[in-house]
Amino acid sequence: MTDVGNMRARYRRIMRFAARYMVQSWWYELILPRVGLGRISAGNRAARVQRIAQRFHVLAVDLGGLMIKVGQFMSSRLDVLPPEITKELEGLQDEVPPVDFAAIRARAEAELGVPLERAFEYVDPTPLAAASLGQAHRARLSAADAADTGLSDVVVKIQRPGIDEVVAVDLRALRRVARWLSRVRIVATRVDMPSLVEEFASTTMEEIDYLHEAANAERFAEDFIGDARVAVPEVVWERTTRRVLTLQDVTAIKINDVEALRAAGIDPAEVAKEFAAVMFDQLFADGFFHADPHPGNIFVTPHPAGDSADADARRWHFTFIDFGMMGEVPEGLRRGLRRVLIAAASRDGKGLVDGIREVGVLLPSADTVELERAMTHLFARFGGMGFAELQDVDPREFRDFGVEFSDVVRTLPFQLPENFLLIVRAMSLTSGMCSSLDPAFNIWDAIEPYAGRLIREESGNVVQAFAKQAVSAAGVVARLPQRLDDLATHIEDGRIAVQTPRLDRRLDRLERAARRIVSAILFAGLLVGGILLRSEDAVLGIVLMALSVLPLLHALFAGVVGGRRGPG
């Protein structure tokens, strides 16, 4: 079959899969409820959704290309997809059979403009790793390039031949599916599918641009200049193009290889503690973070014996690789996240709600009294517990917590700031990684010293903030006599009127809106709490996240019904 024929067959297979399960979903979610058989649909919904995710998993592994990226992307969309899907796709690995070296050689030579023997002294024909978009090979720089760069051993990452066509076909199929879904009201009211696909397309196009990844690596390295905890491979720009990326070979101990760490005299518990601190620095201090910190992208590099005479000197460091998926945290969002972190460390329910509001998930007018009570109760019962302790908690306690505050969790409008989902992904992977290194790892122990440092750093702004508040209050006091005089004049002139029916209607709408906003706050609180507590355990590790997602699905239906009724 020709390449054009292969691409057409690929497109048709993706569309057949999408059409089949869309028709199935319409039947169960739209048709059956309208004829009074909604219980049948609801009764097996979780198992049905999980089967769809499992079959997509098989399709993605078989087709490779962008489909694996789609699965990984969906696994992070906790805001719009049920946990049955995200959990099933969570373990989807970007590993595919390697491309024949002759094809890879031709691709690299076309990009570099010279024979591979001139570009490198040696290239290992056996790939170090093979992924859906490209594969990596160990190599050695030519003598001239080695003299210029001071490097010798490198890793060359080369895009798969024809990947541009595969990406184009996959995106065309995804955009068509998104247009189909945008015409379905039940989907359109929950998520803007075309925008979601365009967000994914933008991320993908950045990931297949190796010049962009190289620039990310250098920016990440700049953030850690002078920090002995972190190293980044150097970019060999002379042998880097949009489709070929050459980096210093920094292969060392995989961060999750506990036996190798112990053999090197490195305590895995210490690695877990340091890793959490490094990730917190990226998220809350630098604002530029590695959004895919899975074990294959982080090494622990031991220092050679005798490097330092100081017995207390650092004996190892982290080495990050693969900078295709990076996230940025704007200053306003970073400030809100700092506030959330400090509040979580001090078990401050009101402070946590205020921080969530500042993050941008909540509307400014939200009445948060009930959510503050819920968060205070949550901290009082579960605050300070590590993963091992949470395993011993009766699952009925989590359920009872949800029941107790179920009145707060109603219709659920919410908004997620830019890059928030990448933050969720990074924090979730960090928590899981640390728990695998040290089963007794307690995320609170990692948060508290970091939050304490943030509090000290932020304390310098307290006097300035107090001065601003004093100036603002003085302005209000200064304007108060004139405002009182204006009010008296209006009363004397008879220009003040009370429109009770109109006010009643507005209060009614405001009351309904306030209930929805309070629900959004509780969702956000449970989500953030779940991120902090989550581990790899299938039952308890994601229970708080599950509590935040399931009410979301119910609340959105309630919001649609309430919207139809109109004002009372």
Side-chain angles (χ1 to χ4, degrees):
M1 189 182 289
T2 65
D3 287 343
V4 173
N6 285 330
M7 292 300 105
R8 285 177 179 167
R10 181 185 185 88
Y11 179 80
R12 285 195 297 268
R13 186 172 175 190
I14 295 170
M15 298 309 299
R16 279 197 305 270
F17 180 92
R20 175 183 176 182
Y21 289 108
M22 283 177 63
V23 169
Q24 182 189 103
S25 297
W26 288 337
W27 172 258
Y28 281 102
E29 304 298 337
L30 299 177
I31 306 300
L32 291 185
R34 289 188 180 185
V35 296
L37 299 175
R39 287 187 178 182
I40 295 176
S41 172
N44 65 352
R45 180 179 290 121
R48 190 173 63 250
V49 168
Q50 188 174 17
R51 280 197 301 273
I52 294 173
Q54 289 169 346
R55 286 165 185 166
F56 180 82
H57 192 296
V58 173
L59 176 78
V61 171
D62 190 27
L63 287 180
L66 221 51
M67 289 300 101
I68 287 178
K69 297 294 181 185
V70 170
Q72 292 174 332
F73 181 76
M74 289 195 297
S75 72
S76 69
R77 296 310 305 233
L78 302 173
D79 59 326
V80 296
L81 293 174
E84 291 84 5
I85 289 179
T86 58
K87 188 65 179 176
E88 181 65 35
L89 298 178
E90 194 172 58
L92 190 60
Q93 297 296 313
D94 191 2
E95 296 176 359
V96 296
V99 176
D100 183 73
F101 184 67
I104 285 292
R105 170 194 285 274
R107 176 74 154 177
E109 290 179 344
E111 277 295 302
L112 297 172
V114 294
L116 215 54
E117 290 78 7
R118 283 185 55 193
F120 300 96
E121 181 179 300
Y122 165 78
V123 177
D124 187 349
T126 303
L128 182 64
S132 57
L133 303 182
Q135 62 189 51
H137 292 258
R138 281 200 171 96
R140 191 176 303 115
L141 291 177
S142 66
D145 285 342
D148 289 341
T149 63
L151 303 174
S152 176
D153 294 332
V154 294
V155 172
V156 186
K157 189 173 172 181
I158 305 163
Q159 280 186 13
R160 285 176 170 256
I163 195 62
D164 291 332
E165 292 79 7
V166 169
V167 168
V169 166
D170 290 357
L171 288 178
R172 183 160 65 94
L174 291 172
R175 287 178 173 123
R176 187 171 180 184
V177 172
R179 288 196 299 272
W180 286 353
L181 291 172
S182 66
R183 296 187 179 99
V184 181
R185 185 166 177 261
I186 193 173
V187 175
T189 55
R190 298 185 191 186
V191 59
D192 184 348
M193 284 302 300
S195 295
L196 196 65
V197 169
E198 291 310 317
E199 178 187 341
F200 172 72
S202 175
T203 301
T204 299
M205 297 313 292
E206 287 182 355
E207 196 168 349
I208 64 173
D209 182 352
Y210 288 168
L211 291 175
H212 183 80
E213 181 176 344
N216 283 343
E218 292 205 334
R219 179 179 171 185
F220 189 83
E222 287 173 6
D223 284 344
F224 285 97
I225 285 179
D227 191 330
R229 300 173 301 169
V230 176
V232 177
E234 291 186 38
V235 179
V236 182
W237 286 102
E238 295 83 353
R239 295 295 178 234
T240 294
T241 70
R242 185 174 173 274
R243 295 179 178 87
V244 174
L245 174 62
T246 304
L247 297 168
Q248 175 188 9
D249 188 353
V250 291
T251 306
I253 303 171
K254 275 191 176 183
I255 188 173
N256 66 337
D257 190 342
V258 174
E259 293 304 318
L261 290 174
R262 288 185 176 134
I266 299 171
D267 182 2
E270 183 186 353
V271 172
K273 181 181 176 182
E274 288 282 3
F275 181 61
V278 166
M279 291 305 298
F280 285 154
D281 274 341
Q282 294 173 47
L283 287 163
F284 302 113
D286 302 327
F288 183 65
F289 64 94
H290 199 299
D292 195 23
H294 66 73
N297 286 340
I298 302 146
F299 295 116
V300 173
T301 305
H303 295 175
D307 264 11
S308 173
D310 186 355
D312 295 326
R314 176 171 290 278
R315 296 180 296 107
W316 55 270
H317 64 261
F318 295 111
T319 304
F320 285 74
I321 63 171
D322 194 348
F323 301 93
M325 187 185 295
M326 304 294 291
E328 277 193 80
V329 190
E331 178 55 37
L333 179 56
R334 191 155 71 248
R335 189 168 53 247
L337 288 171
R338 286 189 194 126
R339 193 166 182 177
V340 167
L341 187 68
I342 292 169
S346 56
R347 322 302 199 255
D348 177 6
K350 183 179 184 305
L352 181 64
V353 173
D354 290 341
I356 294 169
R357 188 201 301 273
E358 192 166 349
V359 164
V361 174
L362 309 177
L363 297 176
S365 57
D367 181 2
T368 58
V369 174
E370 280 301 304
L371 179 62
E372 289 170 11
R373 189 168 71 88
M375 291 299 101
T376 300
H377 179 92
L378 181 70
F379 281 132
R381 176 62 187 91
F382 305 113
M385 286 188 177
F387 171 66
E389 294 170 294
L390 283 173
Q391 286 183 308
D392 295 330
V393 175
D394 188 337
R396 287 174 295 185
E397 288 200 46
F398 292 107
R399 186 177 64 247
D400 292 344
F401 174 83
V403 170
E404 181 177 353
F405 295 99
S406 60
D407 288 340
V408 182
V409 186
R410 295 296 181 189
T411 51
L412 204 54
F414 70 98
Q415 56 190 25
L416 292 178
E418 182 181 4
N419 264 332
F420 189 81
L421 290 164
L422 288 179
I423 295 170
V424 171
R425 175 185 173 83
M427 291 185 73
S428 297
L429 288 172
T430 299
S431 178
M433 180 85 75
C434 292
S435 294
S436 69
L437 287 166
D438 178 11
F441 176 79
N442 190 332
I443 192 71
W444 301 101
D445 292 340
I447 286 175
E448 284 178 335
Y450 190 83
R453 194 183 86 195
L454 287 179
I455 291 171
R456 290 191 295 274
E457 291 174 356
E458 294 289 330
S459 63
N461 299 323
V462 170
V463 174
Q464 183 179 359
F466 179 79
K468 287 182 179 179
Q469 289 180 359
V471 171
S472 176
V476 171
V477 171
R479 292 191 296 272
L480 187 57
Q482 180 62 45
R483 291 186 175 184
L484 290 173
D485 184 61
D486 290 343
L487 176 62
T489 302
H490 279 74
I491 294 173
E492 290 173 357
D493 293 345
R495 284 184 281 157
I496 290 184
V498 178
Q499 298 175 324
T500 304
R502 188 175 175 186
L503 180 60
D504 288 343
R505 286 195 299 271
R506 287 184 177 178
L507 287 174
D508 186 51
R509 287 197 297 268
L510 182 60
E511 182 181 355
R512 289 198 304 271
R515 290 182 65 190
R516 299 179 72 189
I517 290 166
V518 170
S519 300
I521 298 169
L522 183 55
F523 164 75
L526 289 171
L527 179 62
V528 173
I531 293 165
L532 292 174
L533 295 173
R534 184 185 180 199
S535 263
E536 298 292 334
D537 186 272
V539 178
L540 294 179
I542 62 167
V543 67
L544 290 184
M545 282 190 177
L547 281 173
S548 73
V549 174
L550 293 178
L552 168 62
L553 300 178
H554 169 266
L556 286 173
F557 281 114
V560 172
V561 173
R564 279 205 214 104
R565 287 177 186 156

